[in-house]
Structures are given as structure tokens and as C-alpha cells.
Amino acid sequence: MVEYPNLFIGGEWVAPRDGGLLESIDPATGKPWASVAFGGPADIDRAVEAARKAFGSWSRKPGHERAALLRRFADLYEKTAPDLARLETRDNGRAFRESRADVGSHVTGYHWYASLADKFSGRTIPIDDQVHAFTTRRPIGVVGAITPWNVPLMAALWKLGPALATGCTVVLKPAEQTPVTSLELGKLFAQAGFPPGVVNIVPGWGKGGAGERLAAHPDVNKVAFTGEGATAKAILRTGGDTLKRFTFELGGKAPHIIFADANLDQALNAATGSAWALCGQSCALGSRVLVQRPIYQRVVDEFVRRSARVRVGAPLLETTHMGPQAHAEQLAKTLDYVAIGKRDGAELVAGGKRLTEGELACGYFIAPTVFANVSNQMRVAREEIFGPVAALIPFDDEDEALAIANDSHYGLTAGLWTQDVGRALRVSSRIEAGMIWVNTYRYIRWSTPYGGVKASGWGRENGVESLDAYLDTHTTIISKTGQFADPFAN
Ligand code: NAD
């Protein structure tokens, strides 16, 4: 067992005041592998107090000095990235080859945010000869960052990067299932020389615990949340009273559209890759694969053939493509949806069952699953399963593809494959999604804004736009004459 007995608050490692220790389960074995400090509301209160205390001098620090600290942190992150990736895989079961690529890429993410720390500014607004008007942009204050279990380090980066670059201070609350790597970040922030209280890390429960207190806390100016829509609504209810700001990165049910003129081999690489990436636990999952009828059966056959090639197994092995579901509830949820799909009349053509042979016996493994002849009205096409389940939906023409794609309350990501440039432009301009890929998929960079429309979220992470959510604009108007007419003179 690995032990993490303390929370990271005010630059120190402290025991929880009203929390305790909780075991983190290795989803590959179903057994505890780490014992982790869990904070409660009183711990959040002192973390927020530490963040508030640090805010004054941190927010006034010149941008290039914040940038230098972020760069030092990024360099330390780079050195420890393989270890972080291994820990993340232990905690959430994502295949190590995926974790390593993901975590390794975060280094450039932190450097990119560092490069923005002295690049944001206000503007001068021409009005008339009487006044000089200008705006300044100031950090919003203390940020409560609440993250999910599927990508703990990535979700932390997407919040810490813009928050620290703009001069905000942060209380980070990772998901209860995967707290370990977020605590590891505390070590790196301390080593990099960040002032105490600029970043505080408090694992804990969501509802009724640390998460709820962070959302409700009157001295938190903004909550940056990634997770489920239902949780976002709960956060709005508890935090709404304080009129703090919110950004929400929520779920998706992405349409991944393959037209008959597509480069089919490439489209299949992307469609199968994105259906089963992260053991199917990605918000960007291309979970609804829309296929034009002339090539529909070929795509179904290829999905089945390729599903048999996916090596499901111990996630730390180099050879493993897909690890287990991250926790027991997610495994149960995915299996429930397999039953729902069958009951609703979808045709199960691959997978659909828990894998328990040999060393997989106690873990939360499930085979890559494919449903064919799915209609968009079925629950497996409408609800976010968050497991490795692809729903293959046939369509006839462009209009029908668009109608199906947009008939969803989600609108996070979408993909389309065609060699017709006109069609690529027509369809991509009408898809209701925050991120649209053409002839590629899950291509995500720090410089490109990411986020949802409709029920998939509020605001954007990544891109220079991400800074907006951490800054307030202040307008100053100065008279050039100093004259102010007496309104009651006559
Ligand atoms: P979740 O909503 O269950 O939990 C997310 C976080 O919220 C956890 O830290 C949890 O402890 C906390 N929480 C739970 N209840 C709370 C409450 N009442 N008040 C405050 N905090 C609370 O989500 P999850 O199951 O961890 O993650 C999966 C979801 O995240 C999926 O819907 C997925 O699509 C989404 N997601 C979205 C993105 C994106 O960028 N759009 C990225 C990753 C994951």
C-alpha cells in the first residue's frame, strides 16, 4: 500500500481535520492499493483561507515571474511524468501506453500556459476629446477546481494552467476514486517554489463533503468543474447563492459520421480508436458512429474484426491496449447499458460481457462492445454510457446525418469523414458541437478552445479564450479636463 496521509494546504502537508483516510482501489485487481487523506468541509475552509491569503501577492506578481514558476513546475513535471503516468494508471486503470502519452504531453501544456502569463491586457477605447477610457484585466480570485476520475491530471492542467497564468489561486478537489496523482502535484508545486497557498489540494467526497463545500464557499470566486451534467446542476444549486462564476466541462454523445466517400481505412482507425480510448471513458468518445448505408455493413464487419484485436488486460503492461473500467460502479453501469441496448432491439455484434479469465478475475474488465442497427431513439444512442460501447447507426444522406447528429441534448465533440471539401464545410458548419473534427478525431491541443454547447457545458478550456473565465474586465474613464458641469446651475 502506498500512503498519502496528508492534504496539501498553505504550502504544508497537513492531516485532515474533519475527514480521514480512505483506500483507493486498483481497478485492475479490485483491491486497495493506496491509503489517501480525505478532507471534509473544515479542510476546504482552511484551504480557501490559505488561497485567499495567497491571492494578494500572487495576483500582483509580474506575469513573467508567474511564468518562470510555471516553467520550473513544467520542467519538474517532465522529469516525473513517467511516474505520474504509472500512478494514474494504478488509480484509474487507463492503459499505461495511453497514460504515458497523455501525461507526457502535459509538459508542453504547462509551458504554453506559462507563455500566456504576461500576454493578456486590456484595451484603450476611443470615445471623445473629453475622456481617456481604458480597460484592465484582473484575476478573478480564488478558484475551486473540481475534477473527474477519467483524466485527473489532464483536467487539473486545464484549470491550473489558466488560473495560475492569470494570477488566481486554487483549491483543487480531485475525484474520490482517483486522488493520488493530484496529491503528487503538491510535491511538484512545493519543489518549484510556488508561494504557500497558491495551490491547495484536498481530496474528498463530492456530495455532502469537500466538493459541495467548495462549490458553496462564499469566498470562492469561481468554480471550474469537469464531470457529469447532474453534478453541475447540483453545484449550481449549492453555489448559485453566492453568485460566483462557473465553467462546466460536461459529458458528450459525439456523432462520428462516416460518409461513403471517406478514406475508409483512416476513418475506421479513428472511429475504433476513439470508441475504445480510455477504456471508453472519455467525454470526447465517438460513441455514436453514423455510417452511410452503402458502406454500413462493411463498417460493422470491420468494427467486429478490429474489436477482436484489442488487447484487454493488466493496464501497466506495455502490450495492453485497454485496461479495466475505472471503478465498480462504472463497470455495473456499462453492463447495464449492454442489457438496455439488447432490450431496446439493438444488435449486439461484439463484446458486451465482463472479462474474468485468469488474472482479470477480480478487476473491472469488459470487452470492447459494438451494437449494430441502432436507432438514434434508443437509450444507448441518447445517454452517455462512458464505457467502451460503440453504437453504429445507418443513414442515407447528408440531411439525415445532420438530423441524427444534432438530435441529442449533448454537444461536446463531433467528427466527420468525407473527401468532398464542400460537404466537409457544409456539414461541419451545421453540427451542434463545441469541437468538430474533419478527417481526424480527438485532436486536442492547448491552443485550441475545447468545450461544449447545449448540455455539454458552459465556457471553454484551452485556447487563449480559456483565460477569459479567470479574468474580470475593469473599465477606467479619466477626464482630460477635470471639468464637471454643475447640473443645478440654472
Ligand atoms: P462526477 O460529476 O460524478 O464527479 C466529478 C467531480 O465532482 C468529482 O470530484 C466529485 O467528487 C465531484 N462532485 C460530485 N458531487 C458533487 C457535489 N454535489 N458538489 C461538488 N462536487 C461534487 O463525474 P465523473 O463521474 O467523475 O466524471 C465523468 C463525467 O465527466 C462524464 O460525464 C464525462 O463526460 C465528463 N468529462 C467531461 C470532460 C470535458 O472536458 N467536457 C472531460 C472529462 C470528463
Side-chain angles (χ1 to χ4, degrees):
M1 288 281 277
V2 187
E3 306 216 330
Y4 293 84
N6 294 313
L7 313 168
F8 186 62
I9 296 178
E12 291 180 358
W13 292 96
V14 296
R17 255 185 208 160
D18 65 349
L21 289 178
L22 213 89
E23 287 175 337
S24 196
I25 306 292
D26 177 345
T29 62
K31 296 191 174 63
W33 77 281
S35 157
V36 183
F38 261 45
D43 297 300
I44 290 293
D45 287 355
R46 58 180 173 151
V48 172
E49 201 183 318
R52 175 59 58 196
K53 204 165 144 211
F55 177 66
S57 54
W58 178 248
S59 60
R60 284 194 300 274
K61 208 180 250 310
H64 67 270
E65 288 183 24
R66 288 198 306 273
L69 278 168
L70 265 169
R71 286 201 188 93
R72 205 174 302 155
F73 172 82
D75 289 343
L76 293 167
Y77 197 99
E78 184 167 23
K79 283 198 189 110
T80 189
D83 297 330
L84 286 172
R86 215 164 280 118
L87 291 171
E88 187 128 304
T89 285
R90 277 310 289 283
D91 231 11
N92 74 359
R94 185 179 186 183
F96 179 62
R97 57 202 278 167
E98 277 190 13
S99 296
R100 185 176 45 202
D102 178 28
V103 175
S105 76
H106 299 171
V107 176
T108 53
Y110 280 109
H111 278 295
W112 188 75
Y113 280 110
S115 75
L116 294 182
D118 57 1
K119 304 289 187 304
F120 56 91
S121 55
R123 60 194 178 99
T124 307
I125 302 165
I127 300 178
D128 55 31
D129 284 345
Q130 304 302 305
V131 296
H132 180 74
F134 62 94
T135 62
T136 51
R137 304 186 79 202
R138 300 187 208 157
I140 207 163
V142 174
V143 172
I146 304 180
T147 52
W149 45 261
N150 65 329
V151 280
L153 284 172
M154 191 194 84
L157 156 64
W158 289 20
K159 293 159 182 54
L160 287 165
L164 298 176
T166 51
C168 294
T169 55
V170 180
V171 177
L172 169 65
K173 197 222 68 79
E176 51 271 33
Q177 300 89 345
T178 55
V180 165
T181 47
S182 298
L183 282 173
E184 287 288 333
L185 293 180
K187 297 181 191 168
L188 302 183
F189 279 116
Q191 230 179 311
F194 270 74
V198 170
V199 177
N200 307 273
I201 303 163
V202 182
W205 296 106
K207 189 169 186 288
E212 195 170 305
R213 177 64 185 154
L214 192 53
H217 202 295
D219 210 20
V220 169
N221 302 93
K222 168 198 163 61
V223 166
F225 170 77
T226 300
E228 287 188 13
T231 312
K233 289 180 198 168
I235 286 174
L236 264 183
R237 282 192 294 272
T238 37
D241 259 359
T242 59
L243 291 176
K244 56 171 63 76
R245 317 291 166 79
F246 300 93
T247 41
F248 292 133
E249 287 285 347
L250 310 178
K253 194 76 192 175
H256 198 161
I257 309 171
I258 308 178
F259 286 96
D261 70 344
N263 182 329
L264 195 50
D265 201 45
Q266 304 305 309
L268 279 160
N269 288 344
T272 52
S274 70
W276 299 320
L278 278 101
C279 322
Q281 302 162 140
S282 160
C283 56
L285 213 65
S287 50
R288 287 188 296 153
V289 185
L290 277 49
V291 188
Q292 206 161 15
R293 278 194 203 277
I295 56 165
Y296 184 76
Q297 195 51 49
R298 246 173 91 195
V299 170
V300 172
D301 294 344
E302 248 330 272
F303 253 80
V304 173
R305 193 180 71 78
R306 290 175 183 227
S307 72
R309 282 192 347 211
V310 177
R311 289 189 294 268
V312 182
L316 281 169
L317 288 181
E318 284 286 346
T319 47
T320 293
H321 291 134
M322 200 171 98
Q325 300 286 272
H327 53 88
E329 294 76 26
Q330 182 56 48
L331 172 71
K333 181 179 172 193
T334 304
L335 290 171
D336 264 0
Y337 272 102
V338 172
I340 289 167
K342 287 199 253 182
R343 213 168 48 230
D344 286 353
E347 186 188 346
L348 181 69
V349 290
K353 57 179 190 304
R354 184 173 179 180
L355 299 175
T356 52
E357 303 84 40
E359 60 179 16
L360 308 190
C362 299
Y364 310 139
F365 297 93
I366 182 164
T369 296
V370 185
F371 276 116
N373 295 318
V374 176
S375 111
N376 200 49
Q377 299 317 310
M378 293 177 185
R379 284 181 63 192
V380 289
R382 307 204 73 75
E383 297 168 19
E384 189 186 40
I385 301 171
F386 221 51
V389 181
L392 273 49
I393 305 174
F395 69 87
D396 283 315
D397 56 21
E398 225 173 272
D399 283 343
E400 195 188 4
L402 269 166
I404 297 172
N406 291 339
D407 179 19
S408 170
H409 69 284
Y410 290 113
L412 187 59
T413 61
L416 70 105
W417 289 83
T418 177
Q419 302 203 54
D420 177 336
V421 179
R423 169 180 281 159
L425 288 168
R426 276 194 307 277
V427 176
S428 62
S429 69
R430 289 170 62 197
I431 287 189
E432 295 164 0
M435 172 65 100
I436 298 149
W437 291 291
V438 179
N439 293 340
T440 185
Y441 201 84
R442 277 186 84 239
Y443 199 98
I444 295 171
R445 291 294 181 274
W446 324 117
S447 47
T448 49
Y450 185 90
V453 299
K454 303 200 280 190
S456 287
W458 291 1
R460 293 293 175 269
E461 293 193 317
N462 290 338
V464 290
E465 289 82 351
S466 65
L467 301 196
D468 294 344
Y470 295 84
L471 291 166
D472 271 329
T473 296
H474 299 256
T475 303
T476 306
I477 299 180
I478 304 178
S479 167
K480 290 181 187 171
T481 63
Q483 302 300 306
F484 200 104
D486 178 354
F488 311 112
N490 43 47

